[in-house]
Amino acid sequence: MALIDLTIHEMQQQLAAGSTTAVALTEAFLQQIKATDEQINAFITVCDQQALAAAREADEQRAAGNVQPLTGIPVALKDIFVTEGIRTTCASKILGDYLPPYDGTAVRKLKEQGAVIVGKLNMDEFAMGSSNENSAFGAVRNPWNTDCVPGGSSGGSAACVSARQSAATLGTDTGGSIRQPASHCGVVGLKPSYGRVSRYGVIAYASSLDQVGPLTRDVRDCAIMLGAVAGYDCADSTSVDLPVPDYLATLEQGVAGKKIGLPKEYFIDGLDDDVKQAIDASVAKYKELGAEIVEISLPHTKYAVACYYVVATAEASSNLARFDGVRYCQRVDEGTGLADMYSQTRAAGFGDEVKRRIMLGTYALSSGYYDAYYIKAQKVRALIQQDFTKAFEQVDCILTPVAPTAAFGLGDKTSDPLQMYLSDIFTLSANLAGICGMSLPCGISQKGLPIGVQLLAKAFGEAELLQTAYAFEQATDWHSQQPEL
Amino acid sequence: MKITRAEVEKVARLSRLALNEEEIGTIIGQMDAILGHVEQLNELDTDGVTPMAHAVPLENAFRCDEVTASLGAEKALANAPNEVDGCFGVPKVIE
């Protein structure tokens, strides 16, 4: 098997056995990036020299007996994570050649555990988008069909794993931005519960919704990566001080006797036939594995899109105020004063979708509209969270589609932002409620595109989620399907 | 229409975004469609519901009381588009 086809746990074994080295793995991935990224455009920055130096260091550490779980494993990061000395763009023109003076916590943890960072990944600008077409560095293409989108906003993170350009990646998920691209690219993606992973050093989009999570080849790798980055961090006051369980220890416990809920509101008109069939087959598989399937109701599901696009844009309009041409950014100044400098800098630096969301959020927070939009949406958010609280009194896990369709074509939805937003219907609620969710491969459409199934568990139920996903993966081989490049 | 041209121009000013005529024309229709969709929140009776700002209820969170090194002026200024004598330079605000 080629080095780039190995999972992290297989690489760990080969590295331990001395049958490969961090340098060999890193060279193999850098070669794959070179060979495929002109087509895919998953990377904004490839760090060959730094990666090879880190790989040599990892091999030296291993020789000296200092072995961490990720020693010598090549990974890549969504370009939303600030990385000391490596250009960080958030896929925006406004940041120019921003060189962060520090590493974010998740990045620091990966480095401390010996991971080799091969590069920074393309994304929708400031994580705003569902197709990865909103990038100042060009759209990412789906490795399964380069006329299709990879999903977004962590489109580069999903495409990278799918195209075997690194062993695993980190993304962020504010409304589905890990799970939806994972589904569209046929990889495993996990959005942890709000507060599970530190957001320190992650460029903020909507702070009450943003979470960091892994995208990987399989569920075991996902457990390894989550274990590496999870945990309380005093630099993020919203991270939660709960112990991080050993996700690998409980991975193989199976699903016999588990109750899996099917929310009737998710099986609606507009759900593509191929997706429906794949989800039905997943349900049948879980029955076969001994799980009990229970129909449940999440009655406020249909309000999630409206609720999310008020809450998220309001928070974004505030967070993105920092891009003002003073501390960083490409300043545009026509000499007509400070306020004009701000407005000109921001007009020149932000793309259309970012401008649209700042405008919507500013409107929702503005005098006269605050109660009608922002407070109303926060109340509906509470109702959505209560739906899940009630559901998890009945069931251990919830199973749904990730998206109503497989990956759509490049350009199909760019002219109609509302249609693009509506495609996020199945993933937004988990962020609003703060629970954890993941996407795992469960089928291939008639057009040859991957389909994902979403599993949701209650807040801090990641062990439950991974266990449930692992049982499915062991009984199917969808995760081992690969695109032809 | 849920939103008027004058409102869009006002929001652009509040947002510190210098939008051109064409952008304003496009965004009026888009914001109108999105706000139209958002209207459906009004179908729900939310009287007595406590607004939820955050998924995790938080009390005041103090950082760990430890002395740590700060970034330092040189690193903090390294990305500034206009550095003046160890400070961030900005256009004159007061004549």
Side-chain angles (χ1 to χ4, degrees), chain B residues 13-41:
Chain B
R13 256 194 321 280
L14 293 172
S15 304
R16 296 284 186 259
L17 285 170
L19 301 184
N20 61 36
E21 282 303 305
E22 194 192 331
E23 285 177 308
I24 288 176
T26 310
I27 212 165
I28 291 176
Q30 291 171 337
M31 284 181 75
D32 197 60
I34 296 160
L35 293 171
H37 180 79
V38 169
E39 285 286 292
Q40 61 166 271
L41 295 181

Side-chain angles (χ1 to χ4, degrees), chain A residues 117-378:
Chain A
I117 292 161
V118 297
K120 304 294 293 293
L121 297 160
N122 208 340
M123 54 184 281
D124 281 301
E125 183 180 2
F126 288 106
M128 298 179 187
S130 312
S131 67
N132 217 130
E133 292 166 292
N134 305 326
S135 166
F137 296 83
V140 177
R141 290 167 180 270
N142 192 313
W144 290 79
N145 179 338
T146 52
D147 292 330
C148 289
V149 303
S153 68
S154 309
S157 300
C160 172
V161 174
S162 171
R164 269 60 186 166
Q165 294 172 329
S166 76
T169 60
L170 284 186
T172 58
D173 188 316
T174 304
S177 283
I178 288 173
R179 291 160 288 156
Q180 185 252 23
S183 173
H184 286 350
C185 292
V187 302
V188 175
L190 189 149
K191 182 205 91 75
S193 312
Y194 187 79
R196 181 72 288 182
V197 182
S198 171
R199 296 180 296 108
Y200 181 63
V202 180
I203 297 173
Y205 158 23
S207 301
S208 81
L209 305 164
D210 296 342
Q211 259 300 290
V212 171
L215 295 98
T216 57
R217 301 250 152 92
D218 71 6
V219 176
R220 184 177 291 275
D221 280 4
C222 196
I224 293 169
M225 287 291 285
L226 179 63
V229 297
Y232 175 70
D233 174 18
C234 71
D236 172 6
S237 60
T238 62
S239 67
V240 174
D241 196 1
L242 281 175
V244 179
D246 181 349
Y247 297 116
L248 291 171
T250 51
L251 200 59
E252 297 179 20
Q253 286 177 0
V255 292
K258 267 194 209 300
K259 286 187 177 167
I260 297 179
L262 298 184
K264 58 178 190 223
E265 293 81 3
Y266 282 61
F267 295 87
I268 48 164
D269 294 343
L271 187 62
D272 183 83
D273 280 345
D274 287 350
V275 173
K276 186 166 185 319
Q277 279 172 22
I279 298 302
D280 288 348
S282 307
V283 172
K285 184 57 79 180
Y286 272 114
K287 269 190 201 160
E288 205 182 298
L289 292 168
E292 186 187 337
I293 307 296
V294 183
E295 186 179 284
I296 59 165
S297 175
L298 296 167
H300 297 95
T301 300
K302 79 164 187 169
Y303 301 100
V305 175
C307 177
Y308 174 88
Y309 279 95
V310 174
V311 171
T313 59
E315 294 184 17
S317 71
S318 168
N319 271 325
L320 272 62
R322 68 181 56 122
F323 301 100
D324 58 3
V326 175
R327 288 150 297 165
Y328 25 69
C329 305
Q330 306 277 43
R331 180 182 295 185
V332 179
D333 184 4
E334 292 170 6
T336 50
L338 183 66
D340 285 352
M341 184 280 280
Y342 292 150
S343 301
Q344 288 152 5
T345 295
R346 290 159 64 78
F350 289 137
D352 289 344
E353 182 61 31
V354 174
K355 287 179 185 170
R356 192 151 46 233
R357 293 199 195 188
I358 291 173
M359 291 284 288
L360 277 167
T362 303
Y363 179 76
L365 291 176
S366 65
S367 168
Y369 299 102
Y370 181 80
D371 288 331
Y373 288 100
Y374 187 58
I375 296 296
K376 182 76 186 182
Q378 286 196 325

